Amino acid sequence: MFDTMLEELNTGILFRGGELIELPNDIQTCNSNKGDGFIRNWLWNVPGFRRWRVTKLTAGEKLEVLNTVAYPNYDNDQPILGVDLLWFGVTRKLVAVLDFQPLVQDQEYFSRHYKGLISLNSKFPELRKNENMHSFDPEQYFSPWLLFCRGGLEEANNSLPKAFSSFLTCYWDLSKEMVDKSSRLSSQEVRKLQTHYDIYSSERDPAHGLFTSYFGKAWTDKFVHTFLFPDSNNDDSSFERE
């Protein structure tokens, strides 16, 4: 279901100078304890970003997941790119979340970084947020213009691929613009906010239960804290903006 989008993402990263970082074998690929699924991960060194990770989980016809998160360099207060795509084959249900995840929730920050995403939100009304985000506080690390959908085959085959391509292009364009702009947040603030993002996400991400069901708790705990959200190990949870 998501192979074409995965190829588009990885090809775009390569085109922009991305280089793969070697991962431990048990993180790069892992087979399900149940014998009915496997996971593959990529970690990229991309100019302008301190970390860009990609995950693809496949469990036969039952489930497919594509996830990617990109962290800009600390001298860039650009939002974090976040994408979660889930396809449940038996029920033919799609869950899709695509967002420029804001470091702070204020109008000046939104004005600097969200013109492109606001335009996409209008262009794809079927992917506008129309229900509450379970597990997460929408006022933290989610924007008012995220693309969100609970749909079916129609959205999976038509709306989502178009929105995904436009979304990636929009984010690449924003990164290009930031080369000539100075960040409003200091490098120290960006670092602390990105760290808090990892701490917050590691505690709230519902994927922990999903990965545990396929790969066991020990592997999942390691995966969450060393690959998905490695800065969650830092004790910065009490951070408040200065």
Side-chain angles (χ1 to χ4, degrees):
M1 179 62 68
F2 302 137
D3 286 348
T4 300
M5 283 176 274
L6 173 63
E7 182 179 359
E8 179 180 358
L9 172 62
N10 284 344
T11 298
I13 290 173
L14 280 168
F15 178 75
R16 291 164 177 84
E19 296 180 350
L20 276 173
I21 298 172
E22 187 174 356
L23 292 170
N25 289 338
D26 65 329
I27 295 296
Q28 181 173 312
T29 58
C30 185
N31 292 320
S32 169
N33 296 332
K34 302 176 181 179
D36 61 350
F38 68 94
I39 194 170
R40 184 176 180 190
N41 299 289
W42 296 260
L43 183 61
W44 292 96
N45 179 15
V46 184
F49 295 86
R50 69 173 186 85
R51 198 167 196 276
W52 195 313
R53 61 171 173 80
V54 182
T55 292
K56 178 72 158 48
L57 167 63
T58 303
E61 296 296 321
K62 291 192 300 183
L63 176 67
E64 190 171 342
V65 177
L66 177 61
N67 168 265
T68 187
V69 175
Y71 301 80
N73 288 338
Y74 292 137
D75 61 358
N76 179 0
D77 66 5
Q78 177 179 343
I80 295 168
L81 176 140
V83 173
D84 267 309
L85 310 177
L86 298 91
W87 173 253
F88 301 92
V90 175
T91 57
R92 298 166 78 86
K93 296 296 184 183
L94 169 73
V95 177
V97 182
L98 305 91
D99 198 15
F100 297 176
Q101 301 193 250
L103 297 180
V104 294
Q105 297 273 347
D106 66 48
Q107 191 55 52
E108 183 180 352
Y109 186 85
F110 291 149
S111 296
R112 282 169 51 82
H113 296 299
Y114 282 85
K115 293 182 180 66
L117 190 60
I118 291 171
S119 176
L120 286 186
N121 190 270
S122 298
K123 184 177 179 182
F124 297 99
E126 65 274 34
L127 295 178
R128 290 179 188 168
K129 185 180 77 169
N130 55 10
E131 58 182 281
N132 292 330
M133 297 285 293
H134 303 299
S135 302
F136 292 100
D137 177 357
E139 299 300 320
Q140 289 201 64
Y141 298 113
F142 286 95
S143 81
W145 305 282
L146 67 84
L147 303 178
F148 179 76
C149 176
R150 291 186 188 272
L153 197 60
E154 170 81 20
E155 290 83 2
N157 285 336
N158 297 306
S159 303
L160 180 60
K162 296 174 186 176
F164 184 81
S165 295
S166 297
F167 177 84
L168 288 181
T169 298
C170 186
Y171 193 74
W172 288 121
D173 289 346
L174 179 59
S175 300
K176 194 173 180 180
E177 290 174 13
M178 289 305 296
V179 172
D180 299 320
K181 288 184 179 179
S182 57
S183 293
R184 182 172 65 86
L185 302 175
S186 69
S187 296
Q188 182 181 20
E189 282 184 299
V190 172
R191 179 184 65 80
K192 288 181 177 180
L193 287 163
Q194 288 191 7
T195 296
H196 187 266
Y197 171 88
D198 269 19
I199 295 170
Y200 176 83
S201 298
S202 69
E203 294 172 349
R204 298 289 193 99
D205 195 336
H208 188 284
L210 174 66
F211 290 133
T212 298
S213 69
Y214 278 94
F215 306 104
K217 186 177 186 303
W219 183 89
T220 297
D221 287 346
K222 176 182 177 182
F223 180 61
V224 168
H225 293 291
T226 65
F227 181 75
L228 292 185
F229 307 111
D231 283 347
S232 61
N233 301 306
N234 295 339
D235 186 16
D236 245 351
S237 57
S238 62
F239 167 71
E240 294 182 1
R241 281 196 62 207
E242 300 168 354

PDB file of all heavy atoms in Angstrom, residues 11-39:
ATOM      1  N   THR A  11      13.918   8.431  -2.180  1.00  0.00           N
ATOM      2  CA  THR A  11      14.526   9.011  -3.380  1.00  0.00           C
ATOM      3  C   THR A  11      14.736  10.512  -3.201  1.00  0.00           C
ATOM      4  O   THR A  11      15.775  11.058  -3.584  1.00  0.00           O
ATOM      5  CB  THR A  11      13.642   8.748  -4.611  1.00  0.00           C
ATOM      6  OG1 THR A  11      13.534   7.337  -4.818  1.00  0.00           O
ATOM      7  CG2 THR A  11      14.237   9.382  -5.863  1.00  0.00           C
ATOM      8  N   GLY A  12      13.755  11.190  -2.605  1.00  0.00           N
ATOM      9  CA  GLY A  12      13.889  12.626  -2.353  1.00  0.00           C
ATOM     10  C   GLY A  12      15.013  12.930  -1.398  1.00  0.00           C
ATOM     11  O   GLY A  12      15.745  13.923  -1.569  1.00  0.00           O
ATOM     12  N   ILE A  13      15.186  12.107  -0.388  1.00  0.00           N
ATOM     13  CA  ILE A  13      16.286  12.289   0.563  1.00  0.00           C
ATOM     14  C   ILE A  13      17.624  12.095  -0.134  1.00  0.00           C
ATOM     15  O   ILE A  13      18.557  12.891   0.049  1.00  0.00           O
ATOM     16  CB  ILE A  13      16.126  11.311   1.739  1.00  0.00           C
ATOM     17  CG1 ILE A  13      14.925  11.717   2.611  1.00  0.00           C
ATOM     18  CG2 ILE A  13      17.389  11.263   2.584  1.00  0.00           C
ATOM     19  CD1 ILE A  13      14.582  10.719   3.705  1.00  0.00           C
ATOM     20  N   LEU A  14      17.744  11.050  -0.940  1.00  0.00           N
ATOM     21  CA  LEU A  14      18.984  10.805  -1.677  1.00  0.00           C
ATOM     22  C   LEU A  14      19.303  11.956  -2.625  1.00  0.00           C
ATOM     23  O   LEU A  14      20.457  12.402  -2.731  1.00  0.00           O
ATOM     24  CB  LEU A  14      18.878   9.500  -2.470  1.00  0.00           C
ATOM     25  CG  LEU A  14      19.107   8.201  -1.709  1.00  0.00           C
ATOM     26  CD1 LEU A  14      18.688   7.006  -2.566  1.00  0.00           C
ATOM     27  CD2 LEU A  14      20.573   8.084  -1.302  1.00  0.00           C
ATOM     28  N   PHE A  15      18.295  12.453  -3.313  1.00  0.00           N
ATOM     29  CA  PHE A  15      18.473  13.545  -4.265  1.00  0.00           C
ATOM     30  C   PHE A  15      19.029  14.788  -3.583  1.00  0.00           C
ATOM     31  O   PHE A  15      19.777  15.565  -4.191  1.00  0.00           O
ATOM     32  CB  PHE A  15      17.144  13.865  -4.944  1.00  0.00           C
ATOM     33  CG  PHE A  15      17.199  15.002  -5.919  1.00  0.00           C
ATOM     34  CD1 PHE A  15      17.773  14.839  -7.171  1.00  0.00           C
ATOM     35  CD2 PHE A  15      16.687  16.246  -5.580  1.00  0.00           C
ATOM     36  CE1 PHE A  15      17.838  15.906  -8.073  1.00  0.00           C
ATOM     37  CE2 PHE A  15      16.740  17.307  -6.470  1.00  0.00           C
ATOM     38  CZ  PHE A  15      17.314  17.144  -7.717  1.00  0.00           C
ATOM     39  N   ARG A  16      18.681  14.983  -2.318  1.00  0.00           N
ATOM     40  CA  ARG A  16      19.122  16.162  -1.575  1.00  0.00           C
ATOM     41  C   ARG A  16      20.365  15.901  -0.740  1.00  0.00           C
ATOM     42  O   ARG A  16      20.645  16.612   0.227  1.00  0.00           O
ATOM     43  CB  ARG A  16      17.964  16.686  -0.725  1.00  0.00           C
ATOM     44  CG  ARG A  16      16.862  17.291  -1.604  1.00  0.00           C
ATOM     45  CD  ARG A  16      15.558  17.470  -0.851  1.00  0.00           C
ATOM     46  NE  ARG A  16      14.552  18.110  -1.708  1.00  0.00           N
ATOM     47  CZ  ARG A  16      13.788  17.458  -2.572  1.00  0.00           C
ATOM     48  NH1 ARG A  16      13.928  16.149  -2.708  1.00  0.00           N
ATOM     49  NH2 ARG A  16      12.908  18.102  -3.314  1.00  0.00           N
ATOM     50  N   GLY A  17      21.104  14.865  -1.111  1.00  0.00           N
ATOM     51  CA  GLY A  17      22.398  14.613  -0.479  1.00  0.00           C
ATOM     52  C   GLY A  17      22.353  13.716   0.729  1.00  0.00           C
ATOM     53  O   GLY A  17      23.348  13.620   1.469  1.00  0.00           O
ATOM     54  N   GLY A  18      21.247  13.023   0.963  1.00  0.00           N
ATOM     55  CA  GLY A  18      21.144  12.158   2.122  1.00  0.00           C
ATOM     56  C   GLY A  18      22.047  10.939   2.016  1.00  0.00           C
ATOM     57  O   GLY A  18      22.251  10.383   0.938  1.00  0.00           O
ATOM     58  N   GLU A  19      22.594  10.544   3.157  1.00  0.00           N
ATOM     59  CA  GLU A  19      23.438   9.361   3.233  1.00  0.00           C
ATOM     60  C   GLU A  19      22.944   8.476   4.365  1.00  0.00           C
ATOM     61  O   GLU A  19      22.647   8.958   5.459  1.00  0.00           O
ATOM     62  CB  GLU A  19      24.901   9.738   3.482  1.00  0.00           C
ATOM     63  CG  GLU A  19      25.521  10.547   2.360  1.00  0.00           C
ATOM     64  CD  GLU A  19      26.975  10.910   2.644  1.00  0.00           C
ATOM     65  OE1 GLU A  19      27.418  10.687   3.799  1.00  0.00           O
ATOM     66  OE2 GLU A  19      27.649  11.388   1.726  1.00  0.00           O
ATOM     67  N   LEU A  20      22.866   7.178   4.096  1.00  0.00           N
ATOM     68  CA  LEU A  20      22.394   6.242   5.107  1.00  0.00           C
ATOM     69  C   LEU A  20      23.404   6.083   6.233  1.00  0.00           C
ATOM     70  O   LEU A  20      24.619   6.031   5.998  1.00  0.00           O
ATOM     71  CB  LEU A  20      22.111   4.879   4.481  1.00  0.00           C
ATOM     72  CG  LEU A  20      20.748   4.694   3.813  1.00  0.00           C
ATOM     73  CD1 LEU A  20      20.698   3.349   3.099  1.00  0.00           C
ATOM     74  CD2 LEU A  20      19.614   4.796   4.835  1.00  0.00           C
ATOM     75  N   ILE A  21      22.899   6.017   7.448  1.00  0.00           N
ATOM     76  CA  ILE A  21      23.709   5.729   8.624  1.00  0.00           C
ATOM     77  C   ILE A  21      23.476   4.271   8.990  1.00  0.00           C
ATOM     78  O   ILE A  21      22.341   3.801   9.065  1.00  0.00           O
ATOM     79  CB  ILE A  21      23.322   6.645   9.796  1.00  0.00           C
ATOM     80  CG1 ILE A  21      23.589   8.108   9.437  1.00  0.00           C
ATOM     81  CG2 ILE A  21      24.076   6.253  11.062  1.00  0.00           C
ATOM     82  CD1 ILE A  21      23.064   9.095  10.455  1.00  0.00           C
ATOM     83  N   GLU A  22      24.562   3.552   9.223  1.00  0.00           N
ATOM     84  CA  GLU A  22      24.433   2.119   9.532  1.00  0.00           C
ATOM     85  C   GLU A  22      23.761   1.931  10.885  1.00  0.00           C
ATOM     86  O   GLU A  22      24.099   2.595  11.874  1.00  0.00           O
ATOM     87  CB  GLU A  22      25.811   1.462   9.539  1.00  0.00           C
ATOM     88  CG  GLU A  22      25.776  -0.041   9.693  1.00  0.00           C
ATOM     89  CD  GLU A  22      27.143  -0.676   9.545  1.00  0.00           C
ATOM     90  OE1 GLU A  22      28.109   0.045   9.247  1.00  0.00           O
ATOM     91  OE2 GLU A  22      27.236  -1.913   9.739  1.00  0.00           O
ATOM     92  N   LEU A  23      22.818   1.024  10.930  1.00  0.00           N
ATOM     93  CA  LEU A  23      22.096   0.697  12.151  1.00  0.00           C
ATOM     94  C   LEU A  23      22.484  -0.695  12.638  1.00  0.00           C
ATOM     95  O   LEU A  23      22.900  -1.549  11.848  1.00  0.00           O
ATOM     96  CB  LEU A  23      20.586   0.723  11.887  1.00  0.00           C
ATOM     97  CG  LEU A  23      19.953   2.079  11.578  1.00  0.00           C
ATOM     98  CD1 LEU A  23      18.510   1.877  11.098  1.00  0.00           C
ATOM     99  CD2 LEU A  23      19.975   2.975  12.805  1.00  0.00           C
ATOM    100  N   PRO A  24      22.347  -0.949  13.943  1.00  0.00           N
ATOM    101  CA  PRO A  24      22.529  -2.322  14.430  1.00  0.00           C
ATOM    102  C   PRO A  24      21.576  -3.264  13.708  1.00  0.00           C
ATOM    103  O   PRO A  24      20.451  -2.890  13.363  1.00  0.00           O
ATOM    104  CB  PRO A  24      22.174  -2.219  15.916  1.00  0.00           C
ATOM    105  CG  PRO A  24      22.375  -0.778  16.272  1.00  0.00           C
ATOM    106  CD  PRO A  24      22.020  -0.003  15.029  1.00  0.00           C
ATOM    107  N   ASN A  25      22.026  -4.486  13.477  1.00  0.00           N
ATOM    108  CA  ASN A  25      21.235  -5.423  12.684  1.00  0.00           C
ATOM    109  C   ASN A  25      19.836  -5.639  13.241  1.00  0.00           C
ATOM    110  O   ASN A  25      18.859  -5.751  12.490  1.00  0.00           O
ATOM    111  CB  ASN A  25      21.961  -6.771  12.590  1.00  0.00           C
ATOM    112  CG  ASN A  25      23.200  -6.703  11.707  1.00  0.00           C
ATOM    113  OD1 ASN A  25      23.305  -5.812  10.859  1.00  0.00           O
ATOM    114  ND2 ASN A  25      24.131  -7.610  11.909  1.00  0.00           N
ATOM    115  N   ASP A  26      19.707  -5.688  14.580  1.00  0.00           N
ATOM    116  CA  ASP A  26      18.395  -5.979  15.159  1.00  0.00           C
ATOM    117  C   ASP A  26      17.460  -4.777  15.109  1.00  0.00           C
ATOM    118  O   ASP A  26      16.253  -4.917  15.324  1.00  0.00           O
ATOM    119  CB  ASP A  26      18.538  -6.474  16.595  1.00  0.00           C
ATOM    120  CG  ASP A  26      19.109  -5.427  17.529  1.00  0.00           C
ATOM    121  OD1 ASP A  26      19.906  -4.589  17.070  1.00  0.00           O
ATOM    122  OD2 ASP A  26      18.744  -5.427  18.729  1.00  0.00           O
ATOM    123  N   ILE A  27      18.001  -3.585  14.820  1.00  0.00           N
ATOM    124  CA  ILE A  27      17.167  -2.398  14.637  1.00  0.00           C
ATOM    125  C   ILE A  27      16.872  -2.178  13.157  1.00  0.00           C
ATOM    126  O   ILE A  27      15.770  -1.778  12.779  1.00  0.00           O
ATOM    127  CB  ILE A  27      17.833  -1.150  15.241  1.00  0.00           C
ATOM    128  CG1 ILE A  27      17.949  -1.300  16.760  1.00  0.00           C
ATOM    129  CG2 ILE A  27      17.065   0.114  14.886  1.00  0.00           C
ATOM    130  CD1 ILE A  27      16.621  -1.369  17.482  1.00  0.00           C
ATOM    131  N   GLN A  28      17.849  -2.443  12.313  1.00  0.00           N
ATOM    132  CA  GLN A  28      17.637  -2.250  10.876  1.00  0.00           C
ATOM    133  C   GLN A  28      16.496  -3.113  10.374  1.00  0.00           C
ATOM    134  O   GLN A  28      15.628  -2.642   9.625  1.00  0.00           O
ATOM    135  CB  GLN A  28      18.917  -2.582  10.109  1.00  0.00           C
ATOM    136  CG  GLN A  28      18.781  -2.373   8.609  1.00  0.00           C
ATOM    137  CD  GLN A  28      20.104  -2.551   7.887  1.00  0.00           C
ATOM    138  OE1 GLN A  28      21.114  -1.997   8.303  1.00  0.00           O
ATOM    139  NE2 GLN A  28      20.098  -3.338   6.828  1.00  0.00           N
ATOM    140  N   THR A  29      16.468  -4.369  10.782  1.00  0.00           N
ATOM    141  CA  THR A  29      15.364  -5.261  10.429  1.00  0.00           C
ATOM    142  C   THR A  29      15.062  -6.161  11.624  1.00  0.00           C
ATOM    143  O   THR A  29      15.965  -6.524  12.384  1.00  0.00           O
ATOM    144  CB  THR A  29      15.693  -6.157   9.214  1.00  0.00           C
ATOM    145  OG1 THR A  29      16.861  -6.933   9.497  1.00  0.00           O
ATOM    146  CG2 THR A  29      15.928  -5.332   7.961  1.00  0.00           C
ATOM    147  N   CYS A  30      13.791  -6.513  11.767  1.00  0.00           N
ATOM    148  CA  CYS A  30      13.406  -7.422  12.838  1.00  0.00           C
ATOM    149  C   CYS A  30      12.149  -8.167  12.414  1.00  0.00           C
ATOM    150  O   CYS A  30      11.218  -7.559  11.876  1.00  0.00           O
ATOM    151  CB  CYS A  30      13.163  -6.657  14.138  1.00  0.00           C
ATOM    152  SG  CYS A  30      12.823  -7.710  15.574  1.00  0.00           S
ATOM    153  N   ASN A  31      12.144  -9.469  12.628  1.00  0.00           N
ATOM    154  CA  ASN A  31      10.980 -10.282  12.308  1.00  0.00           C
ATOM    155  C   ASN A  31      10.073 -10.407  13.528  1.00  0.00           C
ATOM    156  O   ASN A  31      10.542 -10.474  14.668  1.00  0.00           O
ATOM    157  CB  ASN A  31      11.407 -11.681  11.852  1.00  0.00           C
ATOM    158  CG  ASN A  31      12.126 -11.651  10.520  1.00  0.00           C
ATOM    159  OD1 ASN A  31      11.739 -10.911   9.615  1.00  0.00           O
ATOM    160  ND2 ASN A  31      13.183 -12.445  10.401  1.00  0.00           N
ATOM    161  N   SER A  32       8.786 -10.439  13.282  1.00  0.00           N
ATOM    162  CA  SER A  32       7.806 -10.543  14.352  1.00  0.00           C
ATOM    163  C   SER A  32       7.930 -11.862  15.096  1.00  0.00           C
ATOM    164  O   SER A  32       8.240 -12.904  14.512  1.00  0.00           O
ATOM    165  CB  SER A  32       6.394 -10.415  13.774  1.00  0.00           C
ATOM    166  OG  SER A  32       5.424 -10.759  14.731  1.00  0.00           O
ATOM    167  N   ASN A  33       7.674 -11.809  16.404  1.00  0.00           N
ATOM    168  CA  ASN A  33       7.629 -13.031  17.206  1.00  0.00           C
ATOM    169  C   ASN A  33       6.542 -13.976  16.712  1.00  0.00           C
ATOM    170  O   ASN A  33       6.619 -15.187  16.903  1.00  0.00           O
ATOM    171  CB  ASN A  33       7.371 -12.686  18.681  1.00  0.00           C
ATOM    172  CG  ASN A  33       8.497 -11.867  19.287  1.00  0.00           C
ATOM    173  OD1 ASN A  33       9.637 -11.966  18.855  1.00  0.00           O
ATOM    174  ND2 ASN A  33       8.168 -11.072  20.293  1.00  0.00           N
ATOM    175  N   LYS A  34       5.523 -13.394  16.101  1.00  0.00           N
ATOM    176  CA  LYS A  34       4.402 -14.196  15.613  1.00  0.00           C
ATOM    177  C   LYS A  34       4.714 -14.857  14.273  1.00  0.00           C
ATOM    178  O   LYS A  34       3.961 -15.720  13.816  1.00  0.00           O
ATOM    179  CB  LYS A  34       3.160 -13.313  15.435  1.00  0.00           C
ATOM    180  CG  LYS A  34       2.714 -12.590  16.691  1.00  0.00           C
ATOM    181  CD  LYS A  34       1.544 -11.671  16.354  1.00  0.00           C
ATOM    182  CE  LYS A  34       1.059 -10.894  17.549  1.00  0.00           C
ATOM    183  NZ  LYS A  34      -0.072  -9.989  17.190  1.00  0.00           N
ATOM    184  N   GLY A  35       5.771 -14.410  13.621  1.00  0.00           N
ATOM    185  CA  GLY A  35       6.112 -14.952  12.315  1.00  0.00           C
ATOM    186  C   GLY A  35       5.272 -14.420  11.184  1.00  0.00           C
ATOM    187  O   GLY A  35       5.304 -14.948  10.069  1.00  0.00           O
ATOM    188  N   ASP A  36       4.485 -13.344  11.444  1.00  0.00           N
ATOM    189  CA  ASP A  36       3.605 -12.830  10.402  1.00  0.00           C
ATOM    190  C   ASP A  36       3.888 -11.368  10.064  1.00  0.00           C
ATOM    191  O   ASP A  36       3.033 -10.670   9.523  1.00  0.00           O
ATOM    192  CB  ASP A  36       2.141 -12.967  10.843  1.00  0.00           C
ATOM    193  CG  ASP A  36       1.851 -12.179  12.113  1.00  0.00           C
ATOM    194  OD1 ASP A  36       2.805 -11.699  12.748  1.00  0.00           O
ATOM    195  OD2 ASP A  36       0.661 -12.040  12.458  1.00  0.00           O
ATOM    196  N   GLY A  37       5.081 -10.898  10.369  1.00  0.00           N
ATOM    197  CA  GLY A  37       5.394  -9.512  10.043  1.00  0.00           C
ATOM    198  C   GLY A  37       6.867  -9.217  10.237  1.00  0.00           C
ATOM    199  O   GLY A  37       7.608  -9.990  10.857  1.00  0.00           O
ATOM    200  N   PHE A  38       7.292  -8.107   9.681  1.00  0.00           N
ATOM    201  CA  PHE A  38       8.676  -7.666   9.869  1.00  0.00           C
ATOM    202  C   PHE A  38       8.719  -6.143   9.778  1.00  0.00           C
ATOM    203  O   PHE A  38       7.833  -5.499   9.205  1.00  0.00           O
ATOM    204  CB  PHE A  38       9.614  -8.296   8.842  1.00  0.00           C
ATOM    205  CG  PHE A  38       9.397  -7.833   7.424  1.00  0.00           C
ATOM    206  CD1 PHE A  38      10.120  -6.785   6.885  1.00  0.00           C
ATOM    207  CD2 PHE A  38       8.447  -8.458   6.615  1.00  0.00           C
ATOM    208  CE1 PHE A  38       9.916  -6.353   5.582  1.00  0.00           C
ATOM    209  CE2 PHE A  38       8.231  -8.029   5.311  1.00  0.00           C
ATOM    210  CZ  PHE A  38       8.973  -6.974   4.794  1.00  0.00           C
ATOM    211  N   ILE A  39       9.778  -5.591  10.332  1.00  0.00           N
ATOM    212  CA  ILE A  39       9.975  -4.145  10.327  1.00  0.00           C
ATOM    213  C   ILE A  39      11.339  -3.845   9.725  1.00  0.00           C
ATOM    214  O   ILE A  39      12.298  -4.597   9.897  1.00  0.00           O
ATOM    215  CB  ILE A  39       9.874  -3.580  11.764  1.00  0.00           C
ATOM    216  CG1 ILE A  39       9.737  -2.056  11.745  1.00  0.00           C
ATOM    217  CG2 ILE A  39      11.055  -4.014  12.629  1.00  0.00           C
ATOM    218  CD1 ILE A  39       9.382  -1.461  13.103  1.00  0.00           C
TER     219      ILE A  39
END
